[in-house]
Amino acid sequence: MSYLSKVRESNPLVHNITNIVVANFSANGLLALGASPFMADAHEEVVDIAAFSAAVVLNIGTLNDYAIQSMVLAGQSANKQGVPLVLDPVGAGATSYRTAVTQKLVNEMQITALRGNVAEVANVIGESWSIKGVDAGEGDGDVVVLAETAARKLGCVVIITGKDDVITNGVNTYITSNGHPILTKVTGTGCLLSAVVGAFLAVSEGASLAASVEAISFYGVAAEISAELTTGKGPGSFQMEFLNQLSLVTPETYKDKSIIKQLR
C-alpha cells in the first residue's frame, strides 16, 4: 500500500507550530490530503499535543522567542515519544538570528526530516550559500553533495527542494522532478510541503526516506495537474485547484506521473 493511501486511511494527527502567514493554508492542505492538522503553540500544552500526535512539524517562518521555546518543548516531547519530527528552517541564513535558532533546534532535538531550499539547508549546517529573504540565491556548490553531507551530519533525511528535488539519508539519494514553477507564486507552498512530509512520515513506520520521496513526488504531481487545469487563470485559481488535487490525486495517478531517479 502506498503511503498516500495510508494517510487517507488512518487520518494521522499532525501537530504544527508554524508561521502566521501560512497556518490556514497548511491546515487546509493537510485536511485536503486526508490528515488531521492541530495548530498549537502554547507552552502549557505543546508537550502533551506533541506526545499524542502522529507527527510534529516545526516551521520558523515568523520567528520570536516564544515560538522558539514552543518548538523546543514540542520537539523534545516528540523525541521522547518516538514521534517523527520535521523542521522547516524558513529563511535560515537571511539573518544571524535565524541561523542561530535553526542550529539551536537541530542541536537540542533529533530531527527526522529537514526540508528547505538549498540556501536554508546549507546555513543550518554552517555552509555558505547566498539567500534573498526566504528564497535561495545563486550558488556554485553541488546540491546533492550538500544534501548528503547535511543528512550525515544531522542523522536525518534531508530534502532540498527546487526545480529538481534531492531527498537523501546520507547513504541513499533520490531526485524527484515533478512540480510546476507557479508554486513559487503562492505563498506557503513550501511550508505546506513540509507539513505534507510530516503526514507521510506519520504513517511510515520508520521508513522515513521512502515516505519522504513519495511525499515530495506526490506534491509535485498534484501541482502539475492543478497548473494544467488552471492554465491562463493565474495563481489564485491554481491555489484553489491545488487544494482540490491534494484530495483527488489517486495512488494510481501519482504512480503514472511521478518522475523519480535513484542516484545511489
Side-chain angles (χ1 to χ4, degrees):
M1 180 185 293
S2 68
Y3 296 109
L4 174 59
S5 296
K6 291 181 179 179
V7 169
R8 289 174 176 164
E9 283 193 7
S10 62
N11 186 225
L13 183 67
V14 181
H15 178 198
N16 296 265
I17 299 177
T18 190
N19 69 75
I20 59 173
V21 179
V22 305
N24 178 270
F25 184 52
S26 295
N28 281 326
L30 285 171
L31 283 171
L33 173 65
S36 178
F38 199 144
M39 326 301 278
D41 64 357
H43 294 174
E44 293 82 358
E45 63 178 2
V46 292
V47 170
D48 292 338
I49 296 171
F52 62 64
S53 293
V56 174
V57 180
L58 308 179
N59 177 307
I60 71 163
T62 47
L63 201 54
N64 56 66
D65 288 348
Y66 187 92
I68 295 168
Q69 185 59 28
S70 298
M71 292 179 191
V72 171
L73 291 169
Q76 292 180 344
S77 176
N79 283 172
K80 187 176 180 180
Q81 299 300 325
V83 175
L85 181 62
V86 178
L87 174 63
D88 187 335
V90 181
T95 67
S96 57
Y97 178 54
R98 284 176 180 272
T99 303
V101 168
T102 54
Q103 293 175 351
K104 168 186 171 67
L105 293 176
V106 297
N107 287 330
E108 295 191 7
M109 60 190 74
Q110 178 58 55
I111 304 299
T112 309
L114 176 73
R115 202 293 309 166
N117 64 41
V118 60
E120 291 165 342
V121 171
N123 281 282
V124 170
I125 63 168
E127 299 285 339
S128 176
W129 202 290
S130 66
I131 187 166
K132 178 183 178 183
V134 298
D135 298 321
E138 295 295 327
D140 57 4
D142 187 317
V143 177
V144 172
V145 170
L146 173 67
E148 291 173 338
T149 300
R152 288 192 289 268
K153 185 171 183 177
L154 301 175
C156 70
V157 171
V158 168
I159 303 162
I160 295 180
T161 49
K163 183 179 180 181
D164 294 310
D165 310 306
V166 182
I167 306 108
T168 181
N169 60 6
V171 177
N172 298 118
T173 301
Y174 293 82
I175 303 292
T176 64
S177 301
N178 294 104
H180 193 279
I182 200 171
L183 281 166
T184 64
K185 302 300 182 183
V186 178
T187 189
T189 52
C191 302
L192 172 55
L193 175 55
S194 296
V196 168
V197 170
F200 277 64
L201 290 177
V203 300
S204 70
E205 298 180 342
S208 302
L209 180 61
S212 296
V213 170
E214 185 174 319
I216 300 300
S217 183
F218 158 76
Y219 198 82
V221 168
E224 290 171 358
I225 295 172
S226 304
E228 182 178 352
L229 292 175
T230 59
T231 300
K233 295 182 179 178
S237 295
F238 169 81
Q239 182 180 24
M240 298 300 291
E241 185 59 37
F242 186 54
L243 291 177
N244 293 336
Q245 292 305 318
L246 288 176
S247 70
L248 295 174
V249 171
T250 65
E252 292 75 22
T253 300
Y254 157 73
K255 187 176 180 180
D256 288 343
K257 293 181 176 294
S258 63
I259 303 172
I260 301 171
K261 177 182 179 182
Q262 183 173 6
L263 292 184
R264 40 188 161 264

